[in-house]
């Protein structure tokens, strides 16, 4: 894409974003549409009892303005009209960071909603709504968490985000595949929409891809509704990449590491992440690490362990370097699959998670709900064909069993796993031994479908899988949407929300199913 084509794309994105239908509280003296530097929206993330991260990224169309830093003003208020401002300040939007802004607030009151906005010159952003977490020792009566993943642009509109915003969650957990690196397919039949961007490999490519996704008004609305906590999966970089190895490249390939560095920088620039995720400045070789795994506490009610299953994983079992995706294998033909040292999280993150689960049970004020939020389906899927997919937890059975042993060893009061990636809704009982359906149930799992990405399978095939997996209580591949978790001290209720037609931006939505987990009783039950 030439520089002029990129400017035209950004102009189109700005116009699309500027006509977004937002709630009345979300606009305050909007600037002229063609001059709106805040056309990519606003966001907040990683709430703590005393603050959170506020985010925006300037969309600049003048080449001269793209080369210089800009001072952005920000305000936080109790009210949407900003009559009761509680904090305000300035932040630099640097060209080296894509003119992104990350403001880390402290000194706010716990368990309280706030409004925020940004200003540049006479331009004023949309108003975002955010909140702080409860104080560490408090036991709040309720928490509503929405979880979602996988939003390929071409496969569907983002009506799901509009309905999610209407459900008014306290927190959104985004579990990966915020963007897809692909160009528009040559065959556009049955696509919801197309784009003109090339297959992403450079920093400019990834920045443009985030600008495309963030131009969607429904996604902007969801970001402005409440704080998010985000993690990544593979498509933020490249399909099925593993640690420092990508398609057609051996581990440590200079070309792949440069691509990964660009993608990771763009991820940071476009997400409401704390600077602690940077682990210091970028190295001489580029952005070679981001610490995305982290914890979020919601008083004593919930402790979210948000994982990273891409950066530290072993190469997929029996996958050749030139393969474009991870294979499905027969265990008898792939001895590598069962090797005990193979890991999905890396040894450091495994120890970190084990310590976190131990801490959840370490005192009289133990955590009520231990939430393991990660990218994909944790429970096994035994296929009628006898094959095993190698990119998810099924491809890392020893690593899965180590996590199950950690849960069994520390016995958190209630353990719930959340996932995405597979573009299907799965609800499962999690057994202490993944290979034995008669072993004790130690946790509950809700793996959500995609916001828009197609599943690539049929319901008949999924039904056949369910017949071979008694721990699977629900499996549906034919609907797009998100999950809602309503959490109280006595119950966890998951509602699976699905859109009527992902090819329509104005699609309605309905409830596919509802499951309840009772405090002290592992395993979901149909409500």
């Amino acid at each position: 894409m030439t520089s002029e084509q990129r400017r035209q794309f950004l102009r189109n994105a700005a116009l699309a974003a500027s006509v977004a239908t937002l709630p009345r509280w979300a606009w305050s003296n909007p600037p002229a549409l063609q001059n709106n530097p805040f056309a990519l929206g606003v966001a907040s993330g990683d709430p703590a009892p005393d603050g959170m991260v506020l985010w925006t990224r300037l969309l600049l169309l003048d080449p001269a303005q793209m080369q210089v830093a800009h001072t952005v003003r920000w305000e936080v208020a109790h009210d949407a009209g900003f009559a009761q401002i509680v904090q305000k300040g300035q932040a630099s939007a640097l060209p080296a960071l894509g003119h992104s802004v990350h403001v880390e607030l402290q000194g706010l009151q716990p368990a309280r909603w706030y409004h925020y906005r940004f200003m540049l010159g006479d331009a004023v952003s949309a108003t975002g709504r955010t909140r702080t977490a409860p104080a560490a020792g408090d036991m709040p009566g309720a928490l509503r968490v929405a979880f979602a993943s996988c939003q390929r642009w071409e496969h569907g509109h983002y009506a799901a985000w509009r309905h999610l915003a209407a459900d008014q969650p306290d927190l959104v957990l985004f579990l990966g595949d915020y963007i897809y690196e692909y160009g528009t397919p040559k065959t556009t039949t049955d696509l919801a929409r197309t784009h003109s961007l090339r297959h992403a490999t450079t920093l400019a490519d990834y920045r443009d891809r985030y600008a495309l996704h963030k131009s969607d008004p429904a996604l902007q609305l969801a970001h402005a509704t409440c704080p998010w906590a985000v993690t990544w999966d593979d498509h933020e970089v490249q399909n099925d990449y593993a640690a420092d190895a990508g398609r057609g490249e051996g581990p440590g390939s200079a070309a792949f590491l440069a691509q990964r560095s660009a993608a990771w920088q763009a991820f940071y620039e476009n997400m409401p992440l704390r600077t602690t995720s940077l682990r210091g400045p970028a190295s001489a070789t580029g952005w070679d690490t981001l610490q995305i795994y982290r914890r979020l506490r919601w008083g004593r009610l919930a402790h979210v362990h948000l994982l990273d299953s891409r950066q530290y994983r072993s190469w997929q079992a029996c996958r050749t370097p030139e393969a474009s995706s991870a294979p499905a294998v027969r265990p008898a033909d792939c001895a590598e699959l069962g090797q005990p040292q193979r890991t999905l999280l890396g040894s450091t993150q495994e120890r970190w998670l084990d310590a976190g689960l131990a801490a959840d049970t370490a005192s009289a004020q133990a955590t009520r709900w231990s939430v393991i939020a990660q990218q994909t389906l944790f429970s096994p899927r035994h296929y009628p064909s006898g094959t095993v997919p190698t990119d998810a937890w099924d491809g890392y059975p020893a690593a899965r069993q180590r996590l199950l042993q950690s849960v069994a060893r520390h016995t958190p009061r209630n353990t719930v796993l959340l996932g995405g990636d597979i573009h299907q809704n799965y609800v499962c009982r999690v057994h202490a031994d993944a290979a034995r359906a008669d072993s004790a149930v130690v946790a509950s799992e809700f793996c959500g479908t995609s916001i828009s990405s197609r599943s690539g399978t049929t319901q008949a095939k999924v039904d056949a899988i369910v017949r071979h997996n008694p721990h699977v209580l629900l499996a549906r591949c034919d609907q797009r949407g998100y999950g809602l978790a309503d959490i109280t001290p006595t119950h966890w209720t998951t509602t699976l929300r699905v859109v009527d037609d992902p090819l329509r931006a104005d699609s309605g939505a309905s409830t596919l199913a509802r499951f309840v987990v009772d405090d002290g009783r592992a395993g979901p039950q149909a409500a």
Side-chain angles (χ1 to χ4, degrees):
M1 178 180 286
T2 67
S3 59
E4 179 54 38
Q5 287 173 324
R6 181 171 288 109
R7 284 194 292 273
Q8 184 59 49
F9 160 73
L10 293 174
R11 290 188 190 98
N12 292 340
L15 290 173
S18 295
V19 299
T21 302
L22 296 173
R24 182 174 297 176
W25 50 260
W27 284 105
S28 175
N29 300 319
L33 298 184
Q34 65 270 28
N35 297 321
N36 181 10
F38 300 109
L40 301 183
V42 300
S44 65
D46 285 13
D50 66 341
M52 71 292 292
V53 182
L54 305 183
W55 172 93
T56 193
R57 177 184 161 207
L58 303 182
L59 186 63
L60 302 168
L61 304 181
D62 183 343
Q65 294 297 310
M66 296 178 188
Q67 306 303 316
V68 298
H70 297 271
T71 299
V72 176
R73 307 185 309 281
W74 55 267
E75 294 177 338
V76 177
H78 287 309
D79 62 307
F82 289 85
Q84 303 176 60
I85 295 175
V86 295
Q87 286 192 23
K88 59 183 179 180
Q90 297 181 344
S92 294
L94 304 175
L97 289 176
H99 291 103
S100 61
V101 175
H102 299 76
V103 177
E104 298 186 35
L105 295 182
Q106 294 179 318
L108 300 179
Q109 298 174 10
R112 179 153 189 170
W113 286 95
Y114 292 91
H115 294 82
Y116 64 95
R117 64 185 179 184
F118 297 92
M119 293 153 286
L120 178 66
D122 295 331
V124 183
S125 74
T127 294
R129 185 169 177 258
T130 190
R131 62 162 301 163
T132 50
D138 289 354
M139 176 62 80
L143 165 64
R144 170 168 280 193
V145 174
F147 56 97
S149 62
C150 305
Q151 50 180 6
R152 185 165 178 179
W153 180 266
E154 308 98 291
H155 283 185
H157 290 285
Y158 292 169
W161 287 123
R162 178 167 47 83
H163 291 285
L164 181 150
D167 286 329
Q168 291 293 289
D170 297 295
L171 176 69
V172 170
L173 295 176
F174 190 83
L175 302 178
D177 292 344
Y178 192 97
I179 62 167
Y180 281 67
E181 77 277 24
Y182 305 128
T184 293
K186 293 181 180 179
T187 301
T188 58
T189 305
D190 296 330
L191 295 180
R193 48 192 175 178
T194 62
H195 63 81
S196 59
L197 301 179
R198 69 180 188 178
H199 192 114
T201 60
T202 69
L203 179 57
D205 293 339
Y206 287 111
R207 284 173 171 171
D208 288 348
R209 197 62 52 95
Y210 281 103
L212 172 70
H213 285 66
K214 287 178 174 293
S215 72
D216 189 276
L219 178 56
Q220 289 195 14
L221 174 61
H223 272 298
T225 296
C226 70
W228 288 34
V230 300
T231 187
W232 55 27
D233 198 14
D234 53 341
H235 289 290
E236 285 87 357
V237 180
Q238 182 191 88
N239 179 54
D240 285 1
Y241 86 94
D244 61 351
R247 181 179 63 251
E249 307 280 355
S253 157
F256 177 72
L257 291 181
Q259 178 180 348
R260 192 187 69 169
S261 174
W264 286 3
Q265 177 175 344
F267 182 83
Y268 174 78
E269 290 174 354
N270 285 279
M271 295 295 148
L273 293 169
R274 295 183 182 273
T275 54
T276 50
S277 65
L278 299 176
R279 290 172 149 191
S283 72
T285 58
W287 291 61
D288 56 7
T289 185
L290 285 178
Q291 183 164 323
I292 297 301
Y293 67 86
R294 58 202 188 277
R295 310 189 214 278
L296 298 173
R297 283 200 174 275
W298 207 263
R300 292 188 292 116
L301 180 63
H303 191 190
V304 179
H305 308 270
L306 189 61
L307 306 187
D308 174 358
S309 67
R310 280 290 156 191
Q311 185 172 179
Y312 314 104
R313 65 162 59 194
S314 304
W315 183 247
Q316 293 90 350
C318 297
R319 179 183 177 185
T320 59
E322 66 273 8
S324 61
S325 60
V329 301
R330 294 184 181 278
D333 300 330
C334 182
E336 185 181 359
L337 185 69
Q339 291 176 348
Q341 72 272 23
R342 289 177 47 74
T343 179
L344 192 69
L345 304 178
S347 58
T348 299
Q349 188 177 188
E350 285 188 14
R351 290 192 297 270
W352 171 89
L353 179 56
D354 181 76
L357 294 175
D360 285 352
T361 62
S363 71
Q365 294 187 329
T367 299
R368 189 62 52 94
W369 300 92
S370 298
V371 185
I372 302 175
Q374 44 85 53
Q375 285 71 21
T376 191
L377 181 67
F378 180 79
S379 297
R381 280 187 290 182
H382 303 293
Y383 284 77
S385 65
T387 59
V388 174
T390 58
D391 191 58
W393 283 96
D394 274 340
Y396 301 82
R400 176 167 56 198
Q401 198 57 39
R402 287 195 295 272
L403 200 162
L404 288 171
Q405 290 166 355
S406 178
V407 171
R409 183 166 59 253
H410 301 303
T411 59
R413 180 160 175 163
N414 302 286
T415 303
V416 178
L417 291 108
L418 300 178
D421 175 55
I422 62 173
H423 311 165
Q424 305 173 51
N425 276 310
Y426 265 73
V427 178
C428 304
R429 291 186 295 261
V430 179
H431 291 268
D433 186 337
R436 291 182 50 198
D438 61 344
S439 61
V441 177
V442 296
S444 307
E445 178 174 25
F446 302 99
C447 185
T449 189
S450 60
I451 289 290
S452 60
S453 306
R454 295 172 181 165
S455 68
T457 189
T458 66
Q459 190 58 39
K461 292 180 179 179
V462 172
D463 291 341
I465 293 171
V466 172
R467 290 192 291 270
H468 284 75
N469 294 270
H471 59 280
V472 177
L473 306 181
L474 178 145
R476 288 289 295 271
C477 72
D478 55 339
Q479 293 169 304
R480 314 278 73 84
Y482 58 96
L484 277 179
D486 285 295
I487 307 167
T488 73
T490 57
H491 298 93
W492 172 302
T493 303
T494 291
T495 303
L496 302 177
R497 298 279 290 161
V498 293
V499 296
D500 301 333
D501 183 356
L503 299 182
R504 294 181 59 93
D506 61 351
S507 174
S510 62
T511 294
L512 168 64
R514 185 174 286 113
F515 287 82
V516 174
V517 182
D518 294 329
D519 173 35
R521 180 182 176 186
Q525 305 168 68

